[in-house]
């Protein structure tokens, strides 16, 4: 018997029935209320102690605690014991993504009301695959999709009156995450390109080989900048075109898709038996936050009659800010747009969305079944990749009502403006080098003392590689130390400087989405990195490089 279990528990019909109705007894009810109060109103408190993957208890130690693979025949614990265990034994070893010192990833604090909304969704347990298990929630989902569609495409009121509740069309689809949103968009793009014609019933039915011969092509490609999210590659694999046919074009000095490279790539492959399934523009690249030149990419796609998808998983909600929505100019020229709810709509994990300019285009991926999703029904499952789905739309719709576009705008503006101040601070300090300038709320930088900066400026490419190798080791070590110390967390990645594959450098990656993260905290994070840098022995190599020229 462990520390939580007081009496022996048995699985019998009577106690089983009770679990569907109410807590075990009055005492356990009180414990549950206590914890639910803590979870609902004090979430940040009970996560506050740790940031990042500290080494206080190592992953190795933790995995040692989770090795029992047997399911006990009789119940092991009451609900109150299970919740106590989660609060006391699991939560302290989870990552405090809500800390304002956690600036490493696209996961951050969420408004506390999101926990309540998520609870409501679980309590209602609607399944929006079909109207028979969701009724009004399916109708609400269509309305929420139209609201975000309107934010992106800004069509007329007449347009939305016509389509908001149209049962034959859809303005988009809720999915699990950004990955599935991108895959859905490219699924639609593939089926639109390799559509039924002259006795060929379409790629969805006949498969990729038959499609290539019907269209007299030998491959299909998707073009994206080399900073594209890896979900685009997954789509290449899943959709049968092969992920080697995701063509990565170079970026310019600001990490935006290089338009000349795009044009050249299209020109080169257009007449060699290649079908261009889509060009993907990115509105907020994962690693640098850069926004591709969407109006120009849109024009190139229109001219060449290529499907244009915008991956705005990260940047989409910037449209809520009147001050910065111009950064996404041209997004409305896309055939489809990905936006994540669990990113800058601050929803709990996980919610992705994909929107389509043409309300009928998702017909290319529709499926029916006799028991559900029948012809002519409102069932949202007819056109979604997922079957059963939770009602994420209920959370987003409520959040939009609670926050208003102005509430979201304040969050977006705080992220962008704090990031700019952070960039200035990095540039002001001798030991740091700003690598990618902030366009949104993401930037990258590294430790690179000013004497080494000077050496780099005069070095030939061989020397640059040697120096960068040492800097890479140092930056990697500093990032790991900081993460292990657990006070703050900044992520790291490797970036190419220019488009030279030989010059990949390790950089710190900072994502500012927590409204509590301010310049004071960011300065503390830089101070800590500097301290770690001075205390680390691998730095001797850098100093050696500097001294010996
Ligand atoms: C630009 C972009 N697209 C797509 C994704 C994939 O999103 P998810 O992790 O929700 O699948 C990400 C995630 O970081 C992203 O940054």
């Amino acid at each position: 018997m462990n520390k939580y279990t007081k009496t022996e528990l048995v699985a019998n019909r009577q106690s089983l029935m009770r679990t569907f109705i109410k807590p075990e007894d009055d005492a356990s009810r009180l414990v549950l209320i206590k914890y639910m109060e803590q979870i609902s109103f004090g979430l940040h408190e009970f996560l506050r102690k740790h940031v990042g993957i500290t080494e206080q208890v190592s992953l190795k130690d933790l995995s040692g605690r989770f090795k029992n693979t047997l399911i006990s025949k009789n119940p092991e614990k009451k609900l109150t014991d299970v919740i106590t265990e989660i609060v006391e034994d699991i939560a302290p070893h989870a990552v405090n993504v809500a800390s304002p010192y956690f600036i490493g990833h696209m996961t951050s604090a969420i408004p506390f009301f999101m926990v309540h909304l998520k609870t409501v969704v679980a309590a209602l347990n609607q399944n929006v695959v079909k109207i028979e298990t969701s009724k009004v929630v399916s109708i609400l989902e269509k309305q929420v999709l139209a609201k975000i569609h309107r934010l992106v495409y800004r069509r007329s009121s007449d347009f939305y009156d016509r389509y908001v509740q149209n049962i034959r069309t859809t303005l988009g689809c809720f999915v699990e995450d950004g990955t599935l949103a991108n895959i859905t968009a490219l699924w639609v793009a593939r089926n639109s390109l390799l559509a039924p014609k002259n006795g060929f019933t379409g790629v969805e039915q006949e498969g990729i080989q038959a499609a290539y011969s019907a269209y007299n092509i030998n491959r299909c490609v998707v073009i994206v900048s080399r900073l594209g999210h890896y979900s685009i590659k997954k789509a290449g694999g899943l959709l049968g075109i092969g992920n080697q046919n995701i063509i990565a074009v170079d970026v310019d000095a600001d990490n935006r898709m290089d338009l000349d490279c795009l044009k050249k790539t299209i020109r080169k492959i257009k007449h060699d038996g290649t079908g261009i399934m889509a060009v993907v523009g990115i509105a907020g690249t994962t690693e640098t936050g850069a926004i591709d030149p969407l109006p120009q990419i849109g024009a190139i796609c229109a001219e060449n009659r290529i499907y244009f998808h915008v991956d705005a998983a990260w940047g989409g909600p910037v449209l809520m800010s009147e001050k910065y929505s111009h950064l996404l100019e041209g997004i409305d020229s896309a055939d489809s747009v990905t936006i994540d709810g669990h990113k800058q709509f601050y929803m709990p994990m996980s919610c992705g969305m994909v929107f389509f300019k043409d309300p009928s285009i998702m017909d290319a991926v529709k499926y029916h079944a006799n028991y559900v999703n029948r012809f002519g029904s409102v069932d949202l499952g007819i056109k979604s990749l997922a079957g059963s789905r939770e009602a994420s739309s209920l959370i987003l719709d409520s959040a939009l009502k609670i926050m208003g576009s102005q509430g979201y705008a304040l969050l977006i503006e705080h992220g962008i403006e704090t990031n700019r101040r952070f960039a200035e601070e990095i540039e002001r300090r001798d030991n740091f080098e700003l690598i990618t300038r902030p366009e949104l709320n993401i930037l990258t930088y590294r430790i690179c003392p000013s004497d080494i900066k000077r050496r780099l400026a005069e070095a030939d490419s061989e020397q640059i590689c040697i120096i960068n190798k040492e800097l890479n080791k140092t930056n990697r070590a500093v990032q790991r130390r900081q993460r292990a110390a657990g006070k703050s967390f900044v992520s790291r990645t490797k970036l190419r400087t220019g488009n030279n594959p030989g010059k990949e450098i390790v950089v710190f990656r900072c994502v500012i989405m927590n409204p509590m993260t301010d310049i004071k905290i960011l300065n503390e994070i830089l101070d800590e990195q500097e301290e770690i840098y001075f205390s680390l022995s691998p730095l001797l190599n850098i100093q050696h490089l500097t001294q010996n020229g």
Side-chain angles (χ1 to χ4, degrees):
M1 206 182 285
N2 67 37
K3 65 176 174 170
Y4 299 109
T5 314
K6 293 176 190 82
T7 51
E8 188 158 345
L9 301 170
V10 283
N12 59 35
R13 192 167 162 75
Q14 201 186 5
S15 52
L16 184 70
M17 297 302 274
R18 218 173 24 233
T19 63
F20 280 79
I21 307 164
K22 57 184 183 193
E24 292 98 344
D25 49 39
D26 281 352
S28 61
R29 190 187 183 95
L30 288 177
V31 179
L32 283 180
I33 289 171
K34 181 185 122 196
Y35 281 123
M36 288 317 285
E37 210 173 276
Q38 196 178 348
I39 291 166
S40 303
F41 299 101
L43 187 67
H44 297 185
E45 225 114 273
F46 96 87
L47 278 170
R48 185 160 292 160
K49 289 180 209 110
H50 303 271
V51 173
I53 315 245
T54 72
E55 286 301 314
Q56 275 169 335
V57 182
S58 71
L59 287 176
K60 194 159 166 263
D61 289 344
L62 284 173
S63 50
R65 296 186 200 172
F66 293 85
K67 287 216 158 130
N68 180 3
T69 52
L70 290 172
I71 300 172
S72 63
K73 187 164 181 186
N74 273 315
E76 280 180 85
K77 287 168 189 163
K78 291 184 173 188
L79 174 60
T80 50
D81 298 332
V82 169
I83 293 185
T84 307
E85 185 180 60
I86 292 173
V87 171
E88 292 180 3
D89 292 349
I90 306 278
H93 304 293
V95 173
N96 184 2
V97 296
S99 164
Y101 289 81
F102 186 92
I103 55 162
H105 285 302
M106 294 167 155
T107 305
S108 175
I110 50 175
F112 82 88
F113 63 76
M114 292 293 184
V115 180
H116 299 254
L117 296 174
K118 189 85 183 177
T119 311
V120 172
V121 168
L124 287 175
N125 197 28
Q126 301 295 287
N127 182 353
V128 283
V129 65
K130 53 186 179 280
I131 204 97
E132 287 169 355
T133 48
S134 62
K135 199 175 174 187
V136 70
V137 185
S138 287
I139 292 167
L140 174 102
E141 179 166 315
K142 285 182 86 70
Q143 183 193 20
V144 185
L145 286 169
K147 285 183 185 177
I148 308 294
H149 188 282
R150 191 168 192 159
L151 187 71
V152 173
Y153 287 105
R154 292 171 297 152
R155 304 289 296 267
S156 67
S157 296
D158 281 352
F159 175 89
Y160 292 103
D161 286 347
R162 194 163 348 123
Y163 289 108
V164 59
Q165 293 299 342
N166 190 319
I167 61 166
R168 281 180 301 280
T169 60
T170 183
L171 297 171
C173 186
F174 274 85
V175 288
E176 186 81 14
D177 60 4
T179 297
L180 287 177
N182 283 338
I183 289 170
T184 301
L186 293 175
W187 184 24
V188 168
R190 185 197 69 169
N191 291 7
S192 303
L193 182 72
L194 306 173
K197 67 163 191 179
N198 314 334
F200 169 64
T201 57
V203 63
E204 189 68 18
Q205 188 167 340
E206 293 196 33
I208 210 84
Q209 216 171 345
Y212 286 178
S213 59
Y215 278 84
N216 200 22
I217 53 176
N218 48 49
R219 66 167 182 163
C220 266
V221 298
V222 172
I223 304 173
V224 62
S225 101
R226 65 172 170 74
L227 290 173
H229 187 262
Y230 68 100
S231 52
I232 308 293
K233 280 203 150 191
K234 283 189 194 171
L238 272 167
L239 295 171
I241 67 167
N243 67 24
Q244 67 179 12
N245 289 313
I246 306 302
I247 299 181
V249 298
D250 278 340
V251 291
D252 63 18
D254 295 321
N255 294 297
R256 295 148 56 97
M257 182 187 269
D258 183 318
L259 293 169
D260 285 335
C261 285
L262 172 64
K263 285 188 225 162
K264 239 185 261 165
T265 305
I266 294 174
R267 224 177 296 132
K268 196 162 140 227
I269 60 177
K270 208 172 160 188
H271 301 295
D272 74 355
T274 297
I276 305 178
M277 211 164 99
V279 171
V280 179
I282 312 162
T285 61
T286 314
E287 286 167 298
T288 68
I291 300 169
D292 283 336
L294 305 180
Q296 291 84 346
I297 300 175
I300 294 168
C301 286
E303 194 185 316
N304 291 281
R305 292 207 264 140
I306 299 170
Y307 187 102
F308 179 30
H309 174 63
V310 171
D311 180 357
W314 180 248
V318 173
L319 292 166
M320 305 289 263
S321 160
E322 281 174 26
K323 200 166 169 191
Y324 293 114
S325 60
H326 66 273
L327 294 173
L328 267 61
E329 192 198 334
I331 195 168
D332 53 343
S333 63
D335 293 290
S336 52
V337 173
T338 286
I339 300 182
D340 266 348
H342 58 247
K343 294 192 167 77
Q344 297 208 76
F345 276 117
Y346 291 80
M347 287 170 64
M349 291 291 143
S350 63
C351 167
M353 293 168 280
V354 57
F355 301 91
F356 294 91
K357 184 189 242 174
D358 173 357
S360 299
I361 202 168
M362 278 199 95
D363 283 356
V365 294
K366 73 179 171 193
Y367 276 82
H368 296 281
N370 285 337
Y371 81 106
V372 62
N373 297 341
R374 296 178 197 98
F375 289 87
S377 86
V378 190
D379 296 352
L380 302 173
I382 292 173
K383 295 171 191 172
S384 73
L385 180 54
S388 297
R389 267 184 318 117
E390 74 169 14
S392 317
S393 59
L394 204 50
I395 300 180
L396 180 56
D397 192 51
S398 309
L400 291 171
K401 286 172 183 158
I402 295 169
M403 304 276 285
S405 63
Q406 180 58 14
Y408 277 112
L410 288 171
L411 288 171
I412 297 287
E413 287 158 20
H414 171 268
I416 293 176
E417 286 158 19
T418 308
N419 204 30
R420 285 179 186 167
R421 290 189 64 196
F422 189 37
E424 283 164 16
E425 188 55 36
I426 291 166
E427 289 198 300
R428 203 185 59 75
R429 294 194 183 212
D430 283 346
N431 287 318
F432 290 96
E433 181 185 14
L434 183 67
I435 301 297
T436 55
R437 256 168 218 295
E439 193 165 9
L440 295 177
N441 47 0
I442 301 176
L443 61 71
T444 65
Y445 65 104
R446 67 173 174 172
I447 287 177
C448 182
S450 45
D451 43 3
I452 295 186
K453 268 181 233 156
R454 276 194 292 279
R455 276 212 57 202
L456 276 169
E458 290 156 11
D460 61 28
S461 58
E462 200 182 326
Q463 288 167 324
I464 290 176
C465 279
I466 295 168
I467 297 171
N468 275 334
K469 222 168 144 191
E470 292 309 320
L471 283 169
N472 287 354
K473 266 194 238 163
T474 304
N475 279 279
R476 208 177 286 120
V478 171
Q479 192 269 348
R480 283 190 185 139
R481 267 303 163 92
Q482 189 174 34
R483 184 180 70 187
K487 270 191 279 179
S488 48
F489 174 74
V490 183
S491 63
R492 70 165 197 272
T493 188
K494 268 183 172 178
L495 288 180
R496 264 193 260 163
T497 53
N499 283 312
N500 183 346
K503 291 181 191 166
E504 217 166 41
I505 58 169
V506 172
V507 295
F508 301 123
R509 169 174 166 266
C510 155
V511 183
I512 299 177
M513 63 181 296
N514 188 328
M516 313 292 175
T517 303
D518 59 16
I519 195 67
K520 184 176 158 288
I521 287 176
L522 294 168
N523 266 313
E524 283 175 44
I525 290 173
L526 289 179
D527 290 344
E528 190 190 6
Q529 288 178 327
E530 237 163 10
E531 254 171 56
I532 298 171
Y533 161 61
F534 288 131
S535 72
L536 273 177
S537 53
L539 298 176
L540 293 174
N541 285 336
I542 291 191
Q543 280 157 5
H544 169 80
L545 280 170
T546 328
Q547 283 150 15
N548 296 332

